[in-house]
Amino acid sequence: MANSLKDPTLMRSEALINGKWCSAEEDARYPVFNPANGEVVAEVAKCASRQTQHAIEAAQQAWYKWRELSAKERANYLYALYQQVIANKDDLALILTMEQGKPLAEARGEVEYGANYLLWFAEEAKRVYGDVIPGPNPNKRVVCIKQSVGVVACISPWNFPIAMLARKIAPALAAGCTVVCKPANETPLSAFALGELSLRAGIPAGVINILCGFTEQIGETLIASPVVRKLSFTGSTPVGKKLSAASASTMKRVSMELGGNAPFIVFADANLEAAVEGALLSKFRNAGQTCVCTNRILVDNKIIADFTQRLFRGMQQLRVGDGLKDTTDIGPLIHPQAAANIQSLIHDATRLGATARSIDIDPSLSKTFVAPTLLTGVKKGMRVSEEEIFGPIAPVMGFDTEAEAIALANDTPFGLAAYLYSENNSRIWRVAEALEYGMVGINDGAISNEMAPFGGVKESGQGREGSKYGLDDYLEIKYLSFGNIQA
């Protein structure tokens, strides 16, 4: 694979610890597969507890100096990393597609999306403001300042291996923290390439450490360490709950960006063409493997037949194949088991009365590919209406009233993202405020950007990433009380 890159040295397969590329104990390694064809892309260092402890120690030592830099100095480092990412975006996209499977166009978009967080927080680093509070009497002054939390553990997923890691590293470094990063074992190469670019950007040794391998050992070491003062995790709700509970032993601060079950509500007064376009974008990006993907399409029964017909016509235009081909719109799922789970969801729905319509795809494609499928007649109780799908299934459910649509949308323990389409401004306000979600797209199927606070409510997590609020979880508020002012 390295031979396909403009810069082959971006292909790293070791752990980045204290500014150096390190092998695992006894040179343990594991393979990384291309999900499109099952070929081995690389074999990477399979780290465990010892390497994790070394990374924590390196991050702690680096923190003492990094936190003392001026905000402007930290901003300059982040801006230098942003420039490196943009300059190498084609190679980063190729690495990403080879190990994750998404089409190259989407991969390039992800690289730019992740780079935008580096640029945004390079600016926000200079805006960590405190407060002067009126004192209780003329002899006192009350001041609040903000200081970095300390060493941060960043655990990121395989579906957006560059963007999700950049979204954690950028605010942490801007706030004056250092990081130990554990990318998903399925997609470590993108993270290592980002680490290589951080060295080229001149970021001091130990500020960014990246390793993968024995997930339980790495996770347990990070959680148990009193040096690690914060955990930022993106992944499933069950794992997030376990990590949150375990973090209580050292009273770590936690940010959790967990699962979703996003409703996509289409009212009878919606612009149907725009709604279909938004549904296609929201549902099938990254083959449906995103936490904010549309999970349930709720459509007013007055227009449901027209909407589903238009939606399926749009689905038939989607081209499924290897992400390295320019003609591909939808790539493979991350591994065969993920594809098998999607097929089981379709079988469960049809067994309970739903109707499935799939588009035609090349039968010679590997078992990681799933044909985009429209499910109509979906009801509560079917797995597709209860679970996070993470695949190219579009389940459609009908409703008769606004109140019923809101009730259906909120009938889930999750609360990450929701979408609604309507041309009625009064309805838009009513429904958007009634939806129990951290983010609501209104006539908009693409809601993520670095300027907005990304995060959910209920069992979809806590904390926010991106925006001016994204620094808050990496900062501690310190109160300074000045006495004897008039003495």
Side-chain angles (χ1 to χ4, degrees), residues 118 144 151 157 202 244-245 275 335 339 354 391 443:
L118 299 171
C144 288
V151 176
S244 291
H335 45 61
N443 297 324

Side-chain angles (χ1 to χ4, degrees), residues 443-454:
N443 297 324
D444 183 8
I447 59 175
S448 299
N449 62 76
E450 73 278 7
M451 296 163 278
F454 190 103

Side-chain angles (χ1 to χ4, degrees), residues 283-284 286-290 293-294 333 342 388-394:
K283 174 67 260 184
F284 295 106
N286 196 21
Q289 300 174 114
T290 89
C293 264
T294 290
L333 299 191
I342 295 303
E388 185 175 29
I389 294 174
F390 245 60
I393 305 176

Side-chain angles (χ1 to χ4, degrees), residues 183-467:
N185 283 349
E186 293 89 343
T187 55
L189 303 175
S190 296
F192 291 155
L194 192 61
E196 170 64 23
L197 294 178
S198 76
L199 299 179
R200 298 182 189 182
I203 293 176
V207 172
I208 297 176
N209 305 274
I210 306 173
L211 72 168
C212 56
F214 291 97
T215 299
E216 287 192 9
Q217 289 190 39
I218 294 172
E220 288 173 358
T221 304
L222 290 170
I223 296 298
S225 173
V227 171
V228 177
R229 296 310 310 146
K230 174 181 169 59
L231 167 67
S232 178
F233 171 76
T234 298
S236 73
T237 294
V239 174
K241 288 180 177 180
K242 291 179 181 178
L243 292 174
S244 291
S247 295
S249 64
T250 53
M251 291 303 294
K252 285 179 178 40
R253 297 180 65 172
V254 296
S255 294
M256 293 283 158
E257 198 267 278
L258 308 178
N261 188 2
F264 188 101
I265 309 172
V266 184
F267 289 100
D269 55 25
N271 179 323
L272 278 192
E273 184 177 351
V276 168
E277 182 180 348
L280 290 168
L281 179 63
S282 173
K283 174 67 260 184
F284 295 106
R285 182 191 300 113
N286 196 21
Q289 300 174 114
T290 89
C291 54
V292 294
C293 264
T294 290
N295 217 67
R296 299 164 292 150
I297 302 175
L298 312 178
V299 186
D300 191 310
N301 282 319
K302 299 183 190 71
I303 60 167
I304 195 168
D306 189 7
F307 176 86
T308 52
Q309 185 178 24
R310 290 170 182 244
L311 180 62
F312 191 68
R313 281 204 302 265
M315 291 169 59
Q316 289 176 309
Q317 304 305 310
L318 299 172
R319 298 162 298 181
V320 179
D322 190 326
L324 294 176
K325 296 181 178 179
D326 291 336
T327 56
T328 296
D329 298 309
I330 296 182
L333 299 191
I334 189 64
H335 45 61
Q337 184 54 48
N341 184 59
I342 295 303
Q343 297 293 358
S344 73
L345 288 173
I346 296 172
H347 174 74
D348 173 79
T350 55
R351 179 180 62 84
L352 294 175
T355 300
R357 297 174 66 191
S358 300
I359 73 169
D360 295 328
I361 64 172
D362 185 345
S364 68
L365 292 171
S366 75
K367 293 181 179 180
T368 53
F369 288 88
V370 174
T373 301
L374 175 68
L375 287 173
T376 54
V378 173
K379 306 293 183 184
K380 289 177 59 177
M382 296 178 181
R383 289 175 58 198
V384 288
S385 68
E386 311 290 339
E387 301 177 15
E388 185 175 29
I389 294 174
F390 245 60
I393 305 176
V396 179
M397 305 173 70
F399 66 85
D400 291 313
T401 67
E402 180 182 304
E404 183 186 1
I406 294 170
L408 284 170
N410 288 339
D411 188 20
T412 172
F414 302 103
L416 188 58
Y419 306 87
L420 72 94
Y421 275 71
S422 171
E423 296 293 296
N424 183 319
N425 284 332
S426 297
R427 168 174 281 153
I428 285 171
W429 276 106
R430 286 195 305 270
V431 176
E433 291 178 351
L435 290 173
E436 297 169 354
Y437 292 83
M439 301 174 285
V440 180
I442 300 164
N443 297 324
D444 183 8
I447 59 175
S448 299
N449 62 76
E450 73 278 7
M451 296 163 278
F454 190 103
V457 299
K458 299 195 289 187
E459 293 191 16
S460 286
Q462 54 188 300
R464 294 295 182 268
E465 294 185 315
S467 82

